[in-house]
């Protein structure tokens, strides 16, 4: 039907505590001391991108998984058990506003963007940090789902006319004033795309070479 978010106004960011010695992502290049970055359980988006930063970009990152969401990782950061995590920019600004506004964290890297986010013009994209075609392909494959971050689907086999009606209804919903007010209360990033755009993202992912998918699976399972 479509997706509520295309990441048009968001970014997925690698952050560290402001007290961490790394002032930029280049300070995580070996032989710099490692940054301990937290993650949820295997398969979680934050853990996946932490591992991509470590292995595809060759950053000196030690990944520590098993945390129950961003709040638990922020607590671990405050306690000194973690140096940072990977999180959505809009999420941290909405849910950790005091920490963000006090500049108690530093953004080192951003994913899910074709260009740098306007609020992070001095922070490089992951794709800027390597010229290795294999690494760039893995990064692009990993980032692709972010461009349809909150998709809505109908059951398989639905009649074409009903599917079209649902698609029209979805796109009308995302422009509705009351819906947008509720979304703002829920702190949702609403930058919708239609069903065709969602299919385009999926179709592009389906053309990914098998060696890129194998490398992605190797990284995200390690």
């Amino acid at each position: 039907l479509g997706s509520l978010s295309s990441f048009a106004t968001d970014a997925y960011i690698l952050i560290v505590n402001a007290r961490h010695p790394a002032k930029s992502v280049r300070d995580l290049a070996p032989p710099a001391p490692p940054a301990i970055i937290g993650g949820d359980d295997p398969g979680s988006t934050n853990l996946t991108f932490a591992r991509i930063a470590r292995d595809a970009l060759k950053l000196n990152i030690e990944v520590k998984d098993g945390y129950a969401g961003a709040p638990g990782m922020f607590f671990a950061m405050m306690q000194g058990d973690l140096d940072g995590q990977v999180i959505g920019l809009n999420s941290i600004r909405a849910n950790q506003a005091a920490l963000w506004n006090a500049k108690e964290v530093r953004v080192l890297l951003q994913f899910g963007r074709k260009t740098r986010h306007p609020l992070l013009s001095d922070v490089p994209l992951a794709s800027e940090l390597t010229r290795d075609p294999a690494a760039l392909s893995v990064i692009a494959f990993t980032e692709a789902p972010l461009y349809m971050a909150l998709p809505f689907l109908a059951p398989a086999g639905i009649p074409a006319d009903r599917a079209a009606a649902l698609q029209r209804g979805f796109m009308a919903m995302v422009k509705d004033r009351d819906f947008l007010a509720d979304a703002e209360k829920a702190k949702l990033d609403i930058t919708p795309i239609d069903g065709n755009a969602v299919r385009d993202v999926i179709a592009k992912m389906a053309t990914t070479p098998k060696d890129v998918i194998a490398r992605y699976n190797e990284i995200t399972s390690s």
Side-chain angles (χ1 to χ4, degrees), residues 96-187:
Q96 299 288 340
L99 184 149
W100 176 262
N101 293 333
K103 298 183 179 180
E104 293 183 17
V105 298
R106 182 179 300 116
V107 183
L108 300 183
L109 178 64
Q110 48 184 318
F111 292 97
R113 303 279 310 175
K114 301 300 184 185
T115 58
R116 295 183 183 188
H117 192 286
L119 295 178
L120 303 171
S121 60
D122 58 341
V123 177
L125 306 174
S127 56
E128 295 179 53
L129 296 183
T130 179
R131 295 184 178 179
D132 176 16
L136 288 170
S137 295
V138 170
I139 291 167
F141 181 73
T142 309
E143 290 180 327
L146 295 177
Y147 298 113
M148 52 170 193
L150 297 171
F152 281 72
L153 307 176
I158 189 171
D161 59 341
R162 187 170 300 176
L166 288 172
Q167 289 174 338
R168 289 193 299 271
F170 178 86
M171 294 309 294
M173 177 193 73
V174 297
K175 299 175 184 177
D176 180 78
R177 182 182 303 174
D178 291 337
F179 169 79
L180 292 173
D182 287 342
E184 185 175 0
K185 291 177 184 177
K187 301 177 181 178

Side-chain angles (χ1 to χ4, degrees), residues 29-49:
I36 303 173
I37 303 300
D40 289 346
D41 293 328
S44 62
T45 305
N46 53 32
L47 179 58
T48 294
F49 276 96

Side-chain angles (χ1 to χ4, degrees), residues 6-34:
S6 59
F7 250 59
T9 61
D10 207 349
Y12 213 53
I13 54 177
L14 171 64
I15 62 169
V16 293
N17 281 318
R19 62 179 179 272
H20 190 273
K23 303 300 182 185
S24 77
V25 71
R26 300 193 184 281
D27 293 329
L28 292 182

Side-chain angles (χ1 to χ4, degrees), residues 83-104:
D83 294 316
Q85 61 176 290
V86 189
I87 189 171
L89 173 61
N90 288 345
S91 176
I92 188 173
R93 293 177 68 206
N95 300 308
Q96 299 288 340
L99 184 149
W100 176 262
N101 293 333
K103 298 183 179 180
E104 293 183 17

Side-chain angles (χ1 to χ4, degrees), residues 26-33 57-61:
R26 300 193 184 281
D27 293 329
L28 292 182
L57 295 177
K58 308 299 182 185
L59 299 180
N60 200 1
I61 286 174

